[in-house]
Amino acid sequence: MQISEASRVSGVSARALRYYEAEGLIVSGRCANGFRDYCRPTIERVLVIRELLASGLPVRLIRELLPHLTDEPGGVCPEFLVEVQRHRDRLAARIAVLSDQQAALDAFLRKARSAGS
DNA sequence: CTTCTTACA
DNA sequence: TGTAAGCA
């Protein structure tokens, strides 16, 4: 199928499809006229990429993760799970900082409001 | 008309 | 990521 159909079926813009390919996340075939040709497995791969992207994983990590996600029979090798885990931990650390800042702002607002009124 | 690439915002 | 230009 060509890019327009692949876009409809996957719900991903043609722009994004070309972008994923440029980033090495997917590979598409080429017709005689130079148009990209997408197959079912590629569409499914795109959906997986969307999930990974939505979870906040960087493209670089997804690129290294994908081949191990499709080829490995019994799951993903722990090597990559460790990287994903680290990314999750950094995320948790950022959330902790933001939570503290939120609490600090709440305290500031309470104080400022009570003092003003 | 559809896609392709490249480039700009 | 969207959009536009200039080709094929």
Side-chain angles (χ1 to χ4, degrees), chain A residues 48 52 62 64-73 75-77 81:
Chain A
V48 174
L52 266 27
I62 295 177
E64 301 175 328
L65 201 55
L66 283 174
H68 292 271
L69 212 51
T70 337
D71 306 335
E72 303 294 308
V76 191
C77 58
L81 291 182

Side-chain angles (χ1 to χ4, degrees), chain A residues 1-2 11 13 19 27 34 39 42 55-56 58-59 70 74 76 80 82 85 87 100-101:
Chain A
M1 66 181 95
Q2 12 182 235
S13 68
Y19 173 68
V27 178
C39 48
T42 301
S55 67
V59 172
T70 337
V76 191
F80 289 98
V82 171
Q85 180 67 235
H87 188 272
D100 284 349
Q101 296 181 327

Side-chain angles (χ1 to χ4, degrees), chain A residues 74-94:
Chain A
V76 191
C77 58
E79 190 175 45
F80 289 98
L81 291 182
V82 171
E83 286 196 65
V84 176
Q85 180 67 235
R86 282 180 179 172
H87 188 272
R88 193 228 78 115
D89 291 341
R90 283 197 292 274
L91 188 64
R94 285 166 54 198

Side-chain angles (χ1 to χ4, degrees), chain A residues 32-46:
Chain A
N33 56 16
F35 288 10
R36 268 169 266 256
D37 186 54
Y38 297 88
C39 48
R40 302 299 169 178
T42 301
I43 298 301
E44 293 175 38
R45 191 183 170 93
V46 168

Side-chain angles (χ1 to χ4, degrees), chain A residues 12 16-17 19-21 23 25-26 45-63 65-66 69 87 91:
Chain A
V12 177
L17 256 19
Y19 173 68
Y20 297 158
E21 184 174 339
E23 289 300 302
L25 266 31
I26 60 174
R45 191 183 170 93
V46 168
L47 297 180
V48 174
I49 291 173
R50 294 301 291 214
E51 291 183 8
L52 266 27
L53 241 28
S55 67
L57 291 179
V59 172
R60 184 224 113 204
L61 193 56
I62 295 177
R63 182 188 301 130
L65 201 55
L66 283 174
L69 212 51
H87 188 272
L91 188 64

